Amino acid sequence: MNTFEIAFRLKNKIVGIAGCGGLGSNCAVALARVGVGTLIIADFDIISEANLNRQYYFFDQIGFKKVFMLKENIGRINPKIKVITLDVRLLPVNIPSVFAGCDVIVEAFDLADQKEMLLESLQINLPEIPVVAGLGMAGWGMNNIIHHRKMDNIHICGDEISEICPDLPPLAPRVGIVANMQANTVLELLLNKEQK
Amino acid sequence: MQIILNNNQEEIPGDLITVAELLKFKNFTFKMLITKINGVLVQKSDYESAAIRDGDVVNVLHLISGG
């Protein structure tokens, strides 16, 4: 499949991204670059200086809402991508309606309890939609333990052991690896399904 | 009884165990989990009552912070 065929297949696809931090912003940009037609991005947070060590934002965007700045950044990369922004806190009450029309959903939250809430809500309400979760990407080095595996329709990307803490912060290289691994898994799901 | 737990064959005493009992038996101390029996999610509120029987395929995913 050449680049144009890939873009043709992807332009009608819809990918939901829950969280626009380190995983979500980098994953969204990768999906926009390859031409996934519609991205639904949800986050309620604003950009802080501490985010810039890994998240796809710029110094002059500090203080602005992540969803709106991510839409702006994606627009500068590929203005043909439709970006639907949701400046909301995702909760069990709104998760099903936000992501109901998606082909694939990316779990890009920060905290474990939020990941649990999202995955549980998706498995109850939208169990037919594959989810790509990021689990374990704090620190540096340790390339060889980052992996992908499948648990039913939940795809897990990460090392599954490196939890963030003050001595093991999330940093651009490993977060970027996992975010791009999630985007790569999304592509695999979208393109392979289409080929059948 | 025999179950498949996270892709491994496991011998579990008795012929029925709840999710809560299995987590204790296996010493799974993580607070944040996604648990499935035969591909179907078990909600956290049902851990005390959800029964695992011989031959069931159980997956327990440990959730950790970072993103």
Side-chain angles (χ1 to χ4, degrees):
Chain A
M1 224 187 294
N2 65 36
T3 315
F4 297 105
E5 286 168 330
I6 293 167
F8 180 75
R9 283 165 191 263
L10 294 180
K11 76 174 183 208
N12 294 323
K13 301 297 184 187
I14 305 172
V15 175
I17 300 177
C20 297
L23 293 176
S25 63
N26 287 291
C27 185
V29 164
L31 294 173
R33 286 189 192 278
V34 292
V36 172
T38 304
L39 298 173
I40 298 172
I41 60 172
D43 200 306
F44 63 91
D45 205 6
I46 59 165
I47 298 158
S48 71
E49 190 171 348
N51 297 152
L52 299 182
N53 72 348
R54 65 192 186 283
Q55 304 186 16
Y56 211 106
Y57 301 106
F58 299 94
F59 196 85
D60 60 8
Q61 294 178 327
I62 290 169
F64 291 93
K65 287 275 186 178
K66 289 182 179 179
V67 281
F68 302 132
M69 295 304 105
L70 185 54
K71 181 176 182 168
E72 188 176 298
N73 296 342
I74 288 170
R76 290 178 65 189
I77 294 165
N78 187 346
K80 292 176 209 150
I81 306 300
K82 184 176 176 189
V83 182
I84 298 169
T85 54
L86 289 141
D87 173 24
V88 293
R89 182 184 279 273
L90 289 169
L91 296 164
V93 292
N94 59 18
I95 286 168
S97 58
V98 167
F99 295 115
C102 294
D103 294 293
V104 183
I105 300 161
V106 175
E107 179 285 309
F109 279 165
D110 183 15
L111 300 172
D113 64 326
Q114 295 298 295
K115 288 175 188 280
E116 183 186 81
M117 182 273 295
L118 177 73
L119 291 172
E120 196 172 285
S121 178
L122 291 174
Q123 291 300 300
I124 294 165
N125 297 291
L126 304 169
E128 70 288 356
I129 304 178
V131 188
V132 182
L135 280 181
M137 76 297 292
W140 57 92
M142 302 183 287
N143 283 317
N144 292 347
I145 61 171
I146 297 175
H147 59 263
H148 162 268
R149 73 179 175 98
K150 197 170 171 288
M151 174 177 143
D152 304 314
N153 65 342
I154 302 177
H155 292 255
I156 299 141
C157 299
D159 66 19
E160 299 188 62
I161 54 169
S162 301
E163 184 155 38
I164 50 160
C165 66
D167 290 328
L168 203 67
L171 299 166
R174 276 187 120 234
V175 173
I177 290 168
V178 172
N180 282 284
M181 194 180 255
Q182 287 180 286
N184 197 31
T185 304
V186 170
L187 275 194
E188 191 171 26
L189 288 163
L190 295 178
L191 294 175
N192 292 4
K193 196 160 62 175
E194 187 79 9
Q195 275 178 317
K196 273 178 198 165
Chain B
M1 65 174 182
Q2 296 280 330
I3 65 166
I4 308 284
L5 176 61
N6 293 343
N7 300 318
N8 294 314
Q9 188 94 27
E10 291 269 352
E11 176 66 35
I12 305 290
D15 53 13
L16 189 153
I17 191 169
T18 67
V19 170
E21 287 164 351
L22 177 72
L23 297 177
K24 201 171 171 193
F25 177 73
K26 291 301 296 176
N27 213 8
F28 286 172
T29 53
F30 276 69
K31 292 266 189 303
M32 300 304 159
L33 304 167
I34 290 291
T35 301
K36 287 187 166 198
I37 303 174
N38 300 325
V40 179
L41 179 90
V42 180
Q43 284 184 254
K44 223 168 189 183
S45 50
D46 296 335
Y47 280 8
E48 298 287 340
S49 58
I52 298 161
R53 293 183 174 82
D54 187 50
D56 281 349
V57 176
V58 182
N59 279 301
V60 181
L61 179 62
H62 291 162
L63 303 177
I64 57 175
S65 289

